[in-house]
């Protein structure tokens, strides 16, 4: 084998191995960031649920109580991005953050949140739901920081 062929093989090997090695870097070694910050955020709105009240309140005309539970983040669709993939990557991100102690500025840094992703047709709705209602305002505050 000639020197030229050997050098070409080494260069080709380097161009295929280097990207794989960089993506295999543990998440702790990468700079910490909020996963949704990698996508274009269109809007952030409060995620509010209505819970039914007892028969007495219904009789008095107050059929439901509205309660803030987190944030709804509207993410712009991108080529190749699916609701399932976004759900998977965000769920993994939450698991990584809980193991690393969380991030102060990231909406996922609040303890014990649930994420649900749905397709809205042309965009994605990402619902960040605090299981503890007392943390819902903090989830919303952090999610609003994502809008740039």
């Amino acid at each position: 084998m000639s020197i030229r062929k050997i050098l070409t093989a080494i260069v080709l090997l380097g161009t295929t191995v280097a990207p794989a090695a960089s993506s295999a870097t543990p998440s702790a070694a990468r700079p910490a960031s909020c996963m949704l910050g990698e996508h274009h955020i269109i809007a952030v709105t409060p995620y509010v649920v209505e819970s039914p009240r007892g028969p007495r309140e219904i009789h008095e005309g107050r059929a439901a109580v509205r309660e803030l539970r987190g944030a709804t983040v509207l993410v712009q669709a991108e080529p190749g991005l699916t609701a399932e993939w976004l759900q998977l990557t965000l769920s993994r991100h939450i698991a990584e953050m809980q193991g690393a102690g969380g991030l102060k500025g990231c909406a996922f840094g609040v303890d014990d949140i649930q994420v649900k992703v749905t397709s809205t047709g042309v965009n994605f709705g990402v619902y960040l739901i605090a299981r503890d209602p007392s943390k819902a305002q903090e989830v919303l505050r952090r999610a609003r920081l994502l809008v740039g």
Side-chain angles (χ1 to χ4, degrees):
M1 216 180 201
S2 72
I3 299 279
R4 177 178 270 167
K5 287 182 181 180
I6 292 173
L7 288 175
T8 303
I10 291 172
V11 169
L12 287 174
L13 181 64
T15 59
T16 57
V17 172
S22 67
S23 66
T25 304
S27 60
R30 289 185 298 223
S33 67
C34 193
M35 183 63 102
L36 278 177
E38 298 175 5
H39 303 285
H40 179 70
I41 307 300
I42 298 170
V44 174
T45 58
Y47 177 74
V48 178
V49 296
E50 291 186 0
S51 56
R53 300 188 81 172
R56 179 176 174 210
E57 287 85 4
I58 292 172
H59 179 70
E60 294 174 358
R62 294 178 287 175
V65 174
R66 295 176 50 88
E67 180 178 39
L68 177 67
R69 292 303 300 264
T72 301
V73 181
L74 192 60
V75 177
Q76 183 175 355
E78 301 169 15
L81 185 63
T82 65
E84 294 82 6
W85 181 251
L86 193 54
Q87 175 78 47
L88 177 67
T89 56
L90 294 176
S91 296
R92 285 180 178 171
H93 183 65
I94 289 171
E96 287 176 4
M97 289 188 62
Q98 289 174 350
L103 293 174
K104 291 182 180 179
C106 183
F108 298 112
V110 177
D111 290 336
D112 206 19
I113 66 164
Q114 178 182 11
V115 63
K116 291 183 182 180
V117 179
T118 61
S119 174
T120 64
V122 294
N123 297 307
F124 298 101
V126 178
Y127 303 94
L128 305 174
I129 306 163
R131 290 190 175 109
D132 180 354
S134 68
K135 297 180 181 178
Q137 188 64 41
E138 181 64 13
V139 171
L140 179 58
R141 184 191 71 77
R142 291 179 184 207
R144 285 182 171 151
L145 296 175
L146 295 169
V147 179

